[in-house]
Amino acid sequence: MNIRSLSLAACLSLPCLMAAGAPAAAQTTYPNHPINLVVPFPPGGATDVGGRVIAQALAKQLGQSVIVENRAGAGTVIGAAYVARSAPDGYTLLVTSGTTFTINPAVRKELPYDPVKSFEPVGIVARTGLILLANPKVPVTDMKSFLAYVKDPEHAATPYGSFGSGTTANFVGEAFASAAGIKMTHVPYKGSAPAMADLIGGQIPFSVDTVAAALPQLKTGKVKAIAVSSPQRSTFLPDVPTFAESGFPQVAMDTWLMVAAPRGLPTDVRTKLGKALADVVANPEVQKNLLALGFEPGFEDAAQGEALIKKELPQMREIAERAHITAD
């Protein structure tokens, strides 16, 4: 056997084969190219900014760029459908609210995705409650005076505003009206800003909005807080009671910020993403930035995310059917 044959035989040995295979294995280590994080809302909103906070920290955690891509429209349907059709390889992720998973299926007869079968949660990163607000000139300061006001025949079918038909604010308003046995007229707006402007201006006496959106106006006294919808009092408004504390335990819901992926992630990718996201949410700087946006940071893992979607889906469908809520 000549020297060349000996070299070939040596290279066919196990150590040589392992060495030859090492570069290929390294190339497939996740992630080895940029990740797209789809935000199904327009730029500038709380979810978009919160998503960018998560993206920046996740990039540092994973050692790879995370690019935020806004695909807004149709109440998050456009962006969610895009992610649902993407390869389940961990390179296309979605950051969105409960609207995508529990509200849309309740108010839309047809969706280009299944809220359970099309996605798998990576984790919930933060929550924010919704809040019943009043114009400062309306003679209402708490739940007792609010109920007395709306039950007065002079104020029959009192209007309340929200940031859109079929939104979480609409659902909270209708769930409360049903629980309290009162009649209110829903006035949907195209977003939080116009609803808040009309509430401050007195065109509507009440509205339901997110705590995040209401905080600046509450701090300046331009609106009043009656009750928050979250199961516990808001960190930002510790003196404002929950609906449950006010006698309506049926109204205990908030909105949450979740990172999800197309269903079918490889196990190692799912594990790595989940751990990275948990570490991101534990980062004090990330928590500070989320708090500044009105979100209460707190990590809930994939299993908790799955359980939350399955719990809320029938609840939202029941509210929508009872109150005849449909999407705009």
Side-chain angles (χ1 to χ4, degrees), residues 27-108:
Q27 288 174 5
T28 59
T29 301
Y30 174 85
N32 62 9
H33 62 265
I35 298 166
N36 277 5
L37 182 63
V38 175
V39 177
F41 294 95
T47 301
D48 173 64
V49 180
R52 292 174 189 277
V53 169
I54 296 300
Q56 185 177 17
L58 197 58
K60 293 179 181 178
Q61 200 68 36
L62 293 172
Q64 189 58 258
S65 298
V66 179
I67 301 167
V68 174
E69 182 179 359
N70 294 92
R71 287 182 175 263
T76 79
V77 171
I78 290 175
Y82 172 80
V83 174
R85 293 192 299 266
S86 299
D89 54 11
Y91 289 99
T92 303
L93 304 175
L94 178 72
V95 59
T96 187
S97 66
T99 297
T100 300
F101 304 104
T102 63
I103 299 294
N104 283 340
V107 299
R108 297 176 185 270

Side-chain angles (χ1 to χ4, degrees), residues 85-136:
R85 293 192 299 266
S86 299
D89 54 11
Y91 289 99
T92 303
L93 304 175
L94 178 72
V95 59
T96 187
S97 66
T99 297
T100 300
F101 304 104
T102 63
I103 299 294
N104 283 340
V107 299
R108 297 176 185 270
K109 291 183 179 179
E110 294 184 6
L111 283 173
Y113 64 83
D114 184 286
V116 175
K117 296 178 181 178
S118 298
F119 303 98
E120 54 182 280
V122 176
I124 295 170
V125 299
R127 291 175 177 257
T128 185
L130 290 106
I131 186 167
L132 176 61
L133 301 165
N135 176 278

Side-chain angles (χ1 to χ4, degrees), residues 235-297:
T235 300
F236 306 102
L237 302 166
D239 296 328
V240 179
T242 64
F243 280 96
E245 290 176 310
S246 304
F248 304 102
Q250 309 95 317
V251 188
M253 61 183 79
D254 54 13
T255 188
W256 26 275
L257 200 61
M258 175 187 281
V259 175
R263 189 164 291 278
L265 286 177
T267 301
D268 59 330
V269 173
R270 183 189 311 116
T271 301
K272 189 166 188 177
L273 274 173
K275 183 181 184 308
L277 193 62
D279 290 342
V280 161
V281 180
N283 184 316
E285 187 66 23
V286 171
Q287 293 182 358
K288 177 184 173 182
N289 290 334
L290 289 174
L291 284 165
L293 293 170
F295 288 112
E296 299 189 41

